[in-house]
Amino acid sequence: GMLGWYLARGVAIADAEVYFFDDKEENVRGFAGTGYNAREISCASRDGGGSRGGCGATTDEVGAGPFSGMEVCGEAPPPGGLCSFVGSCTEAVLATPAVGPDSSASCGGRIQWVMDNMGKSEADACQQVGEEFPPLCGPCAPEGIPPSLPPSPSGPAGALSIMSYNTKYDGYPCCGSDLVPSYGAHIRDLGPAIVGLQECQDANYLAGQTGGRYQVVPDTGGGNNILYDPSQVAFVAGSSGRMDITSDTYAQRTISWAKFSSGGSEFWFMNTHLPHNLGAAASTATHSQIARALLGKMDELGARGSPTVVTCDCNPFASNGSPEGSFQSNLESRGGFTTVHVGTGQFGGFGGLDKIYVSEEATGFNGRDTGTGSSDHPAITAQLALP
């Protein structure tokens, strides 16, 4: 849509600054709870039995200044309190103390803080705080509260947790807002040994927001930085790098890699964000070609025959119908990889895009979604058992 068009060109418009005007009530009501603002116009002149406007809007309806929420003809505008577009978010709920590790304010105070300090729209702040404090502030979440994450599955001694995490690019200060503290807290709380990032715009800032627990692997930029916890794995100095791959019209796409060791075993970690089928990547064969390029890089690095993990935001739709197969099918048939987990979106975020693969020299298991940490993709994890 229009907001996406602007974002692709570096212009971020907050939800609360978007205004929609229409003479049909059903179109306006469709914006309830979205964080956008919508108003029905031509209230004094109606046609079609009142279902649509007659002679059009008045200047007062359109040009009277900013308003908040949804307004339809014949109904009083909603009260101006926070999250007023959520009927269950009453003044009593907003005044409820929301006490936790990152808050000692009321639900309303926490929502306002998130808007002021994390750059979130009112709707997104209401949703975030509702999810942070479900029993207390949950009634203010416009999308409701997703089901709770199940406990982390247990694995054999020595198994490592690995993560793929698309941290939405406009959640960085460079590009729209600052959701990095939330991204960092999510990584820290889940505690994987290694994280393959996509859309990362400032890896050092993100690593700092994990409480200093994670370090950035050198030479793995291009949005696909790799973070690791040195208390769990050791980075093999001089092993890391990145290469450009066929790109779409959104960004230069890359593959990054590094070698790690744990418990006397060495293994490779490769990470990418595959292009949409746009621009130079318009062909449905592009993803299969990238898979072959990744396997060729493994040959060059001497990684073939060694335990290897591949993480990605794979955008698999871009290879639909390709006679050469997909990124996944080429990794499986040509490289001996197993698909350990595909993000489902069960606890928020897009489903079907984010994936973790493990080569036949290692075992991957217990793949799962782990929530979004305020991104628009789920962070997905799996456990890795090395030989």
Side-chain angles (χ1 to χ4, degrees):
M2 292 179 63
L3 292 178
W5 188 91
Y6 279 110
L7 275 175
R9 289 155 179 80
V11 180
I13 301 174
D15 292 353
E17 297 300 320
V18 175
Y19 294 86
F20 173 83
F21 299 90
D22 197 278
D23 64 347
K24 297 188 72 173
E25 179 180 334
E26 62 190 82
N27 293 341
V28 173
R29 288 196 183 278
F31 284 80
T34 64
Y36 303 128
N37 309 295
R39 173 183 286 166
E40 187 180 9
I41 56 174
S42 192
C43 293
S45 176
R46 311 298 295 174
D47 279 343
S51 64
R52 61 181 181 270
C55 295
T58 66
T59 55
D60 285 343
E61 287 175 323
V62 177
F67 62 95
S68 177
M70 180 199 71
E71 299 181 7
V72 297
C73 298
E75 292 186 6
L82 287 170
C83 313
S84 57
F85 42 82
V86 186
S88 56
C89 189
T90 64
E91 290 298 322
V93 173
L94 290 170
T96 301
V99 179
D102 299 316
S103 175
S104 58
S106 64
C107 292
R110 174 65 175 167
I111 291 167
Q112 189 64 56
W113 186 93
V114 169
M115 292 169 62
D116 293 343
N117 293 274
M118 299 180 70
K120 289 205 170 186
S121 69
E122 182 178 352
D124 287 346
C126 297
Q127 184 68 34
Q128 175 178 321
V129 175
E131 293 181 8
E132 288 176 339
F133 304 96
L136 305 172
C137 310
C140 292
E143 299 175 12
I145 303 301
S148 299
L149 289 172
S152 298
S154 59
L160 299 170
S161 175
I162 51 179
M163 174 186 284
S164 183
Y165 191 17
N166 182 318
T167 54
K168 192 180 181 204
Y169 81 96
D170 61 3
Y172 288 82
C174 67
C175 307
S177 60
D178 188 1
L179 304 180
V180 180
S182 184
Y183 299 159
H186 198 56
I187 294 171
R188 181 193 66 227
D189 292 346
L190 292 167
I194 308 172
V195 186
L197 298 166
Q198 299 88 37
E199 298 193 23
C200 178
Q201 304 299 308
D202 190 336
N204 290 321
Y205 179 32
L206 177 56
Q209 293 303 307
T210 68
R213 178 173 173 179
Y214 287 82
Q215 295 184 15
V216 181
V217 174
D219 303 319
T220 61
N224 295 318
N225 299 85
I226 299 172
L227 304 183
Y228 72 102
D229 178 355
S231 72
Q232 299 187 61
V233 293
F235 164 60
V236 178
S239 68
S240 59
R242 77 182 195 202
M243 69 178 187
D244 290 344
I245 56 176
T246 307
S247 299
D248 52 24
T249 56
Y250 290 113
Q252 174 63 58
R253 303 301 186 181
T254 66
I255 296 173
S256 59
W257 60 83
K259 183 191 281 189
F260 298 91
S261 65
S262 174
S265 298
E266 291 189 336
F267 64 101
W268 288 89
F269 191 98
M270 308 192 81
N271 176 49
T272 189
H273 187 169
L274 298 181
H276 294 242
N277 49 341
L278 299 170
S283 169
T284 58
T286 300
H287 284 197
S288 64
Q289 295 162 2
I290 293 172
R292 294 195 292 272
L294 183 150
L295 294 172
K297 175 55 68 174
M298 288 180 62
D299 288 333
E300 180 183 325
L301 294 168
R304 287 281 197 127
S306 298
T308 303
V309 175
V310 176
T311 55
C312 68
D313 173 351
C314 291
N315 288 322
F317 55 83
S319 59
N320 286 349
S322 171
E324 297 184 21
S326 64
F327 182 77
Q328 177 172 315
S329 67
N330 275 264
L331 285 188
E332 292 173 342
S333 63
R334 296 171 180 267
F337 280 84
T338 297
T339 303
V340 180
H341 186 64
V342 179
T344 66
Q346 178 184 6
F347 304 110
F350 299 115
L353 304 182
D354 305 283
K355 303 187 180 187
I356 297 175
Y357 307 97
V358 173
S359 69
E360 59 191 354
E361 294 80 16
T363 303
F365 54 97
N366 286 341
R368 68 181 192 136
D369 282 30
T370 60
T372 66
S374 299
S375 185
D376 59 349
H377 283 245
I380 62 173
T381 63
Q383 291 182 288
L384 176 70
L386 298 169

